[in-house]
Amino acid sequence: MRAWAVERTGPIATRPVVEVERAVPTPLPGEVLVRVEACGVCRTDLHLAEGDLVPRRPGVVPGHQVVGRVEVVGDDPAPRFAVGDRVGIAWLRGTCGSCRWCRSGRENLCPASTYTGWDADGGFAELAVVPAAYAYRMPAGLSPADAAPLLCAGIIGYRALHRANLPPGGRLGLYGFGSSAHVTAQIALAQGAELYVMTRGEAARALARELGAAWVGDASDRSPVPLDSAIVFAPAGPLVPVALEALDRGGTLALAGIHMSDVPTLDYQRHLFLERDLRTVTSNTRRDGEELLALADRLGVRAHVRTYGFDEVDRALSDLATGDVSGSAVVTLPG
Ligand SMILES: [Zn+2]
Ligand SMILES: [Zn+2]
């Protein structure tokens, strides 16, 4: 089968991700083999290609927002899926099930957790395997390309929104307005939030206005009103003090990225005092995923998608790197 793999990490301009020929994987007991129809492009794929995240296996196939049809069901006494079912493969693909985090509903913090497109090959391939227990049944009303960005951008944004403690009808600031932020914005707006967006790039700003933001500014602009909650999606540490300073008393800032450049020194009075909370977001639980997919279906949340052909995976990554994508980039396959 055809696949794209991280041959050696490096700046995206040096083409670290290349097309390769791979054997079709065989599903182990409890796994399913999926024929990929669409795979969303995430900033984490870019971090892996460029070495900000060190790949955990040589020649790993990235891609962890995968929608496809089950082609083979591995041995399973009680299979969750049948051949032909449309499923989603997301970032989280394994946890131990027995540590104190797994047992307390926080499997996202499991020290033994594994990830699609990092520990195991992902979805920039014609076929991919996934443990059935970590796959999602996809809502029927969504096309594969529309559904793919929900599987990381959507789920992580949903968790970030929870972590940001947004009060009902509250003022939410989003720093960065890419794939995850523009899905999160739709959920927050549907729930009555007032939205303030700080981002570079006129296309992203236009999308924020179109979706209903109350105010849109440049990447590190000060929002015109104090914020109850904010989420930093951009992987830029210098935005942390900017966002903390924009919070109202008792406000909460959540950092949604898996990787971030250095955070500058914080000033206690300016950035933290008055009970401003600073929280991070780490992966997600399967429950987050199930809730987000149901909510997106019910609210009619739709990613703004730019599609690429399977031979354009490297171009999709470099467009993401240069900020040339507004909304979500998705690689589609004939299926
Ligand atoms: Zn665990
Ligand atoms: Zn991701």
Side-chain angles (χ1 to χ4, degrees):
M1 66 170 188
R2 297 162 70 200
W4 288 80
V6 181
E7 286 285 281
R8 35 152 190 79
T9 59
I12 205 70
T14 66
R15 303 205 158 211
V17 181
V18 296
E19 195 173 348
V20 294
E21 191 63 29
R22 288 280 171 86
V24 172
T26 306
L28 299 171
E31 292 185 338
V32 292
L33 177 69
V34 176
R35 181 161 292 277
V36 178
E37 296 174 296
C39 184
V41 183
C42 176
R43 189 160 289 280
T44 301
D45 299 318
L46 196 57
H47 290 318
L48 267 165
E50 298 201 311
D52 295 325
L53 281 188
V54 179
R56 289 179 171 175
R57 54 185 285 165
V60 72
V61 175
H64 56 271
Q65 306 185 88
V66 190
V67 178
R69 296 235 184 233
V70 173
E71 186 146 298
V72 177
V73 178
D75 279 349
D76 199 333
R80 278 186 76 201
F81 301 107
V83 170
D85 284 354
R86 182 167 276 154
V87 297
I89 306 176
W91 175 236
L92 183 74
R93 75 182 281 121
T95 56
C96 79
S98 56
C99 71
R100 64 191 174 98
W101 294 280
C102 281
R103 284 186 283 111
S104 61
R106 295 180 293 165
E107 64 181 359
N108 60 307
L109 299 178
C110 176
S113 54
T114 56
Y115 299 94
T116 304
W118 195 15
D119 297 281
D121 286 340
F124 294 131
E126 291 176 301
L127 295 134
V129 289
V130 64
Y134 290 82
Y136 295 92
R137 193 173 296 282
M138 298 308 288
L142 285 172
S143 74
D146 284 345
L150 297 178
L151 288 162
C152 180
I155 294 173
I156 295 296
Y158 177 72
R159 188 171 182 89
L161 199 52
H162 270 277
R163 296 282 292 163
N165 263 335
L166 181 67
R171 295 163 170 171
L172 173 68
L174 300 182
Y175 291 82
F177 204 72
S179 185
S180 193
H182 91 287
V183 174
T184 310
Q186 294 177 56
I187 295 170
L189 287 164
Q191 295 176 337
E194 209 172 276
L195 185 68
Y196 296 82
V197 173
M198 282 60 65
T199 191
R200 67 189 163 118
E202 191 38 52
R205 286 195 284 267
L207 179 57
R209 278 185 215 104
E210 185 189 321
L211 290 174
W215 181 89
V216 179
D218 207 346
S220 55
D221 280 356
R222 182 71 173 262
S223 66
V225 293
L227 302 168
D228 297 304
S229 302
I231 305 171
V232 172
F233 285 102
L239 289 176
V240 174
V242 173
L244 283 168
E245 209 170 344
L247 288 179
D248 208 344
R249 295 165 174 242
T252 303
L253 171 63
L255 309 180
I258 191 170
H259 168 82
M260 181 173 260
S261 59
D262 289 348
V263 177
T265 304
L266 298 177
D267 180 284
Y268 184 68
Q269 294 295 336
R270 260 176 78 193
H271 301 127
L272 295 167
F273 193 58
L274 298 172
E275 300 199 345
R276 282 168 286 181
D277 282 339
L278 175 59
R279 313 175 88 185
T280 62
V281 179
T282 300
S283 180
N284 64 279
T285 64
R286 281 172 282 178
R287 189 174 163 184
D288 293 328
E290 300 290 355
E291 288 178 359
L292 177 274
L293 289 174
L295 190 64
D297 195 32
R298 184 160 60 79
L299 298 178
V301 169
R302 289 287 178 278
H304 285 237
V305 167
R306 172 158 167 199
T307 58
Y308 293 82
F310 188 69
D311 54 353
E312 298 177 304
V313 169
D314 54 348
R315 192 159 75 79
L317 284 165
S318 58
D319 285 355
L320 186 62
T322 54
D324 208 16
V325 180
S326 101
S328 306
V330 176
V331 172
T332 58
L333 287 87

Coordinates of all heavy atoms in Angstrom, one line a residue, residues 5-18 48-51 55 58-60:
A5 N 5.7 8.6 5.2 CA 6.4 8.4 6.5 C 7.4 9.5 6.8 O 7.9 10.2 5.9 CB 7.2 7.0 6.3
V6 N 7.7 9.6 8.1 CA 8.8 10.6 8.5 C 10.1 9.9 8.4 O 10.5 9.0 9.2 CB 8.5 11.0 10.0 CG1 9.6 12.0 10.4 CG2 7.2 11.6 10.2
E7 N 10.8 10.1 7.3 CA 12.1 9.5 7.1 C 13.2 9.9 8.0 O 13.9 9.1 8.6 CB 12.5 9.7 5.6 CG 11.7 8.9 4.6 CD 12.1 7.4 4.6 OE1 13.1 7.1 4.0 OE2 11.4 6.6 5.2
R8 N 13.4 11.2 8.1 CA 14.3 11.8 9.1 C 13.7 13.2 9.4 O 13.2 13.9 8.5 CB 15.7 12.0 8.6 CG 15.7 12.3 7.1 CD 16.8 13.0 6.6 NE 16.4 13.3 5.2 CZ 15.6 14.3 4.9 NH1 15.1 15.1 5.8 NH2 15.2 14.5 3.6
T9 N 13.7 13.6 10.7 CA 13.0 14.8 11.0 C 13.9 16.0 10.6 O 15.1 15.9 10.5 CB 12.8 14.9 12.6 OG1 14.1 14.8 13.2 CG2 12.0 13.8 13.1
G10 N 13.2 17.1 10.3 CA 13.8 18.3 9.9 C 12.8 19.4 9.5 O 11.6 19.1 9.4
P11 N 13.3 20.6 9.2 CA 12.3 21.7 8.8 C 11.5 21.2 7.6 O 12.0 20.4 6.8 CB 13.3 22.8 8.4 CG 14.6 22.5 9.1 CD 14.7 21.1 9.2
I12 N 10.2 21.6 7.6 CA 9.3 21.0 6.6 C 9.8 21.3 5.2 O 9.5 20.6 4.2 CB 7.9 21.6 6.9 CG1 6.8 20.6 6.3 CG2 7.6 23.0 6.4 CD1 6.7 19.3 7.0
A13 N 10.5 22.4 5.0 CA 11.0 22.8 3.7 C 12.0 21.7 3.2 O 12.3 21.7 2.0 CB 11.7 24.2 3.7
T14 N 12.6 20.9 4.1 CA 13.5 19.9 3.6 C 12.8 18.6 3.3 O 13.5 17.5 3.1 CB 14.6 19.6 4.7 OG1 14.0 19.1 5.9 CG2 15.4 20.9 5.1
R15 N 11.5 18.6 3.3 CA 10.7 17.4 3.0 C 11.0 16.2 3.8 O 11.4 15.1 3.3 CB 10.8 17.1 1.5 CG 10.5 18.3 0.6 CD 10.1 17.8 -0.8 NE 9.3 18.8 -1.4 CZ 8.3 18.6 -2.3 NH1 8.0 17.3 -2.6 NH2 7.7 19.6 -2.8
P16 N 10.8 16.3 5.1 CA 11.0 15.2 6.0 C 10.0 14.0 5.9 O 10.3 12.9 6.3 CB 10.9 15.8 7.4 CG 10.1 17.0 7.3 CD 10.4 17.5 5.9
V17 N 8.8 14.3 5.3 CA 7.8 13.3 5.1 C 7.7 12.9 3.6 O 7.6 13.8 2.8 CB 6.4 13.8 5.6 CG1 5.3 12.8 5.5 CG2 6.5 14.3 7.0
V18 N 7.9 11.6 3.4 CA 8.0 11.2 2.0 C 7.1 10.0 1.7 O 6.7 9.3 2.6 CB 9.5 10.7 1.6 CG1 10.4 11.9 1.7 CG2 10.0 9.6 2.5
L48 N 6.0 16.5 14.7 CA 6.7 15.2 14.5 C 7.7 15.2 13.3 O 8.8 14.8 13.4 CB 5.7 14.1 14.3 CG 5.2 13.3 15.5 CD1 3.9 12.5 15.1 CD2 6.2 12.4 16.0
A49 N 7.2 15.8 12.2 CA 8.0 15.8 11.0 C 9.2 16.7 11.3 O 10.3 16.4 10.8 CB 7.2 16.4 9.9
E50 N 9.1 17.8 12.1 CA 10.1 18.7 12.3 C 11.0 18.4 13.5 O 12.0 19.0 13.7 CB 9.6 20.2 12.4 CG 8.9 20.6 11.1 CD 8.7 22.1 10.9 OE1 8.3 22.8 11.9 OE2 9.1 22.6 9.8
G51 N 10.6 17.4 14.2 CA 11.4 16.9 15.4 C 11.1 17.6 16.7 O 11.8 17.3 17.7
P55 N 9.8 11.3 17.0 CA 9.0 10.1 16.7 C 9.4 8.9 17.5 O 10.6 8.7 17.8 CB 9.4 9.8 15.2 CG 9.8 11.2 14.7 CD 10.4 11.9 15.9
P58 N 11.0 4.5 14.1 CA 11.6 5.0 12.9 C 10.6 4.8 11.7 O 9.9 3.9 11.7 CB 12.8 4.1 12.7 CG 12.6 2.9 13.5 CD 11.7 3.2 14.6
G59 N 10.6 5.8 10.9 CA 9.8 5.7 9.7 C 8.3 5.7 10.0 O 7.5 5.2 9.3
V60 N 7.9 6.4 11.1 CA 6.5 6.3 11.5 C 5.6 7.0 10.4 O 6.0 8.0 9.8 CB 6.3 7.0 12.9 CG1 6.4 8.5 12.9 CG2 4.9 6.6 13.5

